[in-house]
């Protein structure tokens, strides 16, 4: 089974860790897993690498600070373009910000089963602060 996991977070921050650890467990069960993430600071160029059997794909973003977390138009565009011609059986979207939901819906149009989850606290003391 070919699984796509999508997070808006920069590599090494927030929900990225949850998605990464989940991906590691799926790889241990012999699934093929690709994890999409955002570059912490890079504004150009796509970076791909393998780690613990996970195919990681890191996309650049032009916007600074909090706008880099799921709202960047370059990041969204590059993710949609990267998906062209690729097929997945399941897409697991962590959150539903534009850089996650648009690629997830595109993968779903290509017959992938879509799973959405959200695990954040946006109230007092949460990630917004």
């Amino acid at each position: 089974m070919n699984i796509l996991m999508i997070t808006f977070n920069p590599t090494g921050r927030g929900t990225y860790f949850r998605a990464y650890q989940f991906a590691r467990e799926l790889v241990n069960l012999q699934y093929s897993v690709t994890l999409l993430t955002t570059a912490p600071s890079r504004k150009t160029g796509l970076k791909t690498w393998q780690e613990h059997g996970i195919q990681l794909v890191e996309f650049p973003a032009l916007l600074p600070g909090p706008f880099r977390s799921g709202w960047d138009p370059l990041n969204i565009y590059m993710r949609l373009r990267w998906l062209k011609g690729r097929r997945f059986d399941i897409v697991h979207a962590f959150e539903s910000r534009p850089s996650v939901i648009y690629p997830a819906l595109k993968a779903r149009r290509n017959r992938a089963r879509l799973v959405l989850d959200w695990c954040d606290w946006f109230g007092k003391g949460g990630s917004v602060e």
Side-chain angles (χ1 to χ4, degrees), residues 29-98:
L29 294 171
Q30 305 301 312
Y31 293 107
S32 172
V33 182
T34 301
L35 174 58
L36 306 187
T37 184
T38 300
S41 60
R42 196 174 59 256
K43 293 184 178 185
T44 61
L46 185 71
K47 180 181 174 186
T48 62
W49 72 99
Q50 288 271 338
E51 192 172 294
H52 296 285
I54 305 163
Q55 174 72 28
L56 289 126
V57 185
E58 187 180 79
F59 294 87
L62 294 174
L63 299 176
F67 299 107
R68 195 171 193 86
S69 295
W71 306 99
D72 189 272
L74 174 65
N75 190 283
I76 297 163
Y77 170 77
M78 287 188 71
R79 288 171 184 233
L80 292 170
R81 192 169 144 210
W82 180 86
L83 273 169
K84 187 175 183 176
R86 289 184 167 87
R87 301 247 187 256
F88 295 92
D89 300 303
I90 295 174
V91 59
H92 185 158
F94 293 83
E95 245 266 24
S96 60
R97 294 186 190 190

Side-chain angles (χ1 to χ4, degrees), residues 81-127:
R81 192 169 144 210
W82 180 86
L83 273 169
K84 187 175 183 176
R86 289 184 167 87
R87 301 247 187 256
F88 295 92
D89 300 303
I90 295 174
V91 59
H92 185 158
F94 293 83
E95 245 266 24
S96 60
R97 294 186 190 190
S99 68
V100 174
I101 195 64
Y102 292 135
L105 291 173
K106 181 173 183 168
R108 184 172 173 246
R109 280 193 298 267
N110 290 332
R111 307 232 185 260
R113 298 284 184 182
L114 176 58
V115 177
L116 285 166
D117 83 17
W118 177 32
C119 182
D120 208 342
W121 182 18
F122 285 103
K124 186 169 177 60
S127 70

